[in-house]
Amino acid sequence: MFQMRQCTNTFFKQRQRPCLEYQIKRCRAPCVGLVSPEEYAEDVNNTIRFLKGDSSDIHSTLIEKMEDAAEALDFEKAVLYRDQLSMLREVQARQAVYTVQGEADVIAIASQAGMTCVNVLTVRGGRVLGGKNYFPDVDSSEPLADNLSAFITSFYFQVTDDLPAEIILSHEIPDQVAVSEALATHFGSKVVIKTNVREHRSEWLDLATLNTSNALKTKLGDYLELHARFGALKDVLAEVTDRTIDRIECFDISHTMGEATIGSCVVFDQGGARRRDYRQYAIHDIQGGDDYAAMKQVLTRRYKKQPLPDLLLIDGGKGQLNIAKDVLTELGILNDTLLVSVAKGRRAQGGFRSITFYRS
């Protein structure tokens, strides 16, 4: 609405001309000075006021600015303010049903097929500002109320520093009074935890519950697709190995003109990408551009301390594969994994890859 920039500070500082966001009218290009600092600061202020629910004041200010711009024959600015007014009215119309007083976090929980989802819907100034889905690592066989209680304590004591006046829950938690008192002591303000609500608060809770249900369906759909891919991988590898493939670790070497060599490891299992297990290794004491030596170093450092995955993927051809084979042989663990290298080959531009297996 107010065309705030979404880029990082590093990207912002390096710009010498407007990016695509400016062309599609989602940013006013403060990076190259196409908007004055004062005007951009006003946009920032309007955004903050809008998120706090001060839409009526913004509405009056925009009307006044539009009229002033039209009188000064600055029609380009007048159109800008007109468009902002139009978008503001559209958002107000969407949220008309929620224009009541109150600040609350609306929290709903649901579980399906061993997966648990919690949706936190944020309501400030009587307006729904948005929500976020969480998939906590809990025992789905436990009662939902117990898992919800554990999530609430973790969320308010470790994740957020904002405590609203109300917390509306989809399930009554067993230690509701104790949790309320603990939150009040921690934040220094009173909070009321509710489960039985009516009218608009009931609609907020219905919305949070719907979000939870939709998020679970999407997550389970992704899981089923991933499970099917692992099944297809098993079929492809049936002639090579009969081991169950659950964890995959992939290695690649990169450098800048032979300098600053880095070995990267990404990890996947049947739950998807394991980003917390990703690692980067700074490579030292090798000749610049020697990918074989770099691969040897990173694999040695990795598997001296870590167990092997079911499938070890190496980016490269037979040379890199032989280096990996030598490293695992030296460590005495060559037969503990399936070793595969993936090279670009001559037809890489068409999406083709050359795959080489090592059979023990």
Side-chain angles (χ1 to χ4, degrees):
M1 183 186 304
F2 296 108
Q3 300 184 25
M4 302 295 300
R5 72 178 179 94
Q6 305 295 318
C7 57
T8 63
N9 290 335
T10 301
F11 184 83
F12 176 82
K13 293 176 181 177
Q14 293 176 348
R15 295 303 299 177
Q16 296 181 354
R17 60 179 182 178
C19 65
L20 181 61
E21 292 286 300
Y22 172 77
Q23 304 296 335
I24 62 177
K25 299 187 183 302
R26 293 186 58 181
C27 178
R28 298 182 69 182
C31 54
V32 292
L34 295 186
V35 59
S36 68
E38 294 76 19
E39 289 178 318
Y40 192 72
E42 186 177 357
D43 286 340
V44 173
N45 184 48
N46 284 338
T47 302
I48 295 173
R49 291 165 61 195
F50 172 75
L51 293 175
K52 288 183 176 180
D54 299 335
S55 299
S56 57
D57 292 340
I58 299 175
H59 189 273
S60 303
T61 302
L62 290 176
I63 290 178
E64 182 179 346
K65 287 183 175 296
M66 181 181 66
E67 293 175 347
D68 291 343
E71 289 181 5
L73 302 182
D74 191 348
F75 298 114
E76 189 172 337
K77 273 192 177 180
V79 168
L80 173 65
Y81 294 133
R82 182 203 64 190
D83 291 343
Q84 289 179 342
L85 271 170
S86 177
M87 286 185 282
L88 180 61
R89 287 167 180 161
E90 183 179 352
V91 172
Q92 286 177 317
R94 290 177 183 174
Q95 293 191 334
V97 70
Y98 301 125
T99 53
V100 295
Q101 294 301 313
E103 296 195 355
D105 284 344
V106 187
I107 306 177
I109 187 172
S111 182
Q112 184 179 349
M115 187 177 296
T116 300
C117 177
V118 179
N119 179 263
V120 180
L121 194 70
T122 304
V123 181
R124 296 294 183 268
R127 298 184 183 276
V128 177
L129 300 185
K132 186 173 182 179
N133 297 313
Y134 297 88
F135 294 90
D137 187 10
V138 296
D139 185 355
S140 59
S141 64
E142 293 291 325
L144 286 177
D146 292 344
N147 286 336
L148 181 58
S149 177
F151 173 83
I152 289 171
T153 53
S154 174
F155 180 75
Y156 285 105
F157 287 108
Q158 299 179 17
V159 178
T160 184
D161 57 0
D162 181 25
L163 181 70
E166 296 177 62
I167 299 177
I168 301 172
L169 305 179
S170 61
H171 295 71
E172 185 173 351
I173 57 178
D175 49 355
Q176 192 159 297
V177 175
V179 170
S180 178
E181 292 176 352
L183 291 176
T185 301
H186 181 74
F187 286 93
S189 59
K190 185 178 178 181
V191 61
V192 178
I193 300 179
K194 301 178 179 179
T195 52
N196 297 319
V197 290
R198 298 180 298 171
E199 298 179 347
H200 294 89
R201 284 164 175 75
S202 177
E203 294 180 8
W204 295 339
L205 185 56
D206 289 343
L207 181 57
T209 303
L210 178 62
N211 289 343
T212 305
S213 176
N214 290 338
L216 267 178
K217 290 179 182 177
T218 301
K219 191 76 171 180
L220 287 171
D222 294 342
Y223 173 79
L224 291 174
E225 180 183 353
L226 189 64
H227 185 72
R229 291 185 178 185
F230 268 87
L233 177 64
K234 181 179 179 180
D235 294 340
V236 170
L237 298 177
E239 297 182 4
V240 180
T241 181
D242 58 356
R243 71 170 67 239
T244 299
I245 303 298
D246 179 59
R247 185 180 175 94
I248 304 172
E249 295 187 3
C250 316
F251 284 86
D252 187 20
I253 302 297
S254 62
H255 55 77
T256 304
M257 299 180 67
E259 302 294 331
T261 304
I262 296 291
S264 300
C265 171
V266 297
V267 182
F268 287 81
D269 62 15
Q270 299 209 25
R274 300 274 299 181
R275 288 183 172 81
R276 63 184 178 184
D277 291 342
Y278 286 11
R279 294 292 184 272
Q280 284 190 333
Y281 297 85
I283 307 301
H284 304 290
D285 303 323
I286 67 169
Q287 184 176 352
D290 189 348
D291 287 354
Y292 291 163
M295 183 65 72
K296 180 177 181 179
Q297 183 178 135
V298 69
L299 292 177
T300 302
R301 290 166 59 184
R302 174 75 174 179
Y303 295 117
K304 268 187 174 180
K305 300 179 180 179
Q306 300 293 331
L308 278 168
D310 304 303
L311 174 60
L312 178 57
L313 283 178
I314 304 297
D315 181 63
K318 291 183 178 180
Q320 282 86 349
L321 182 69
N322 289 330
I323 290 294
K325 175 185 171 183
D326 292 343
V327 170
L328 299 186
T329 299
E330 290 177 9
L331 296 175
I333 53 176
L334 178 60
N335 296 328
D336 295 345
T337 188
L338 174 61
L339 188 57
V340 179
S341 68
V342 182
K344 294 182 175 65
R346 295 182 178 179
R347 297 188 292 173
Q349 292 182 348
F352 294 94
R353 296 292 186 271
S354 174
I355 300 177
T356 306
F357 299 91
Y358 169 72
R359 301 193 191 198
S360 59

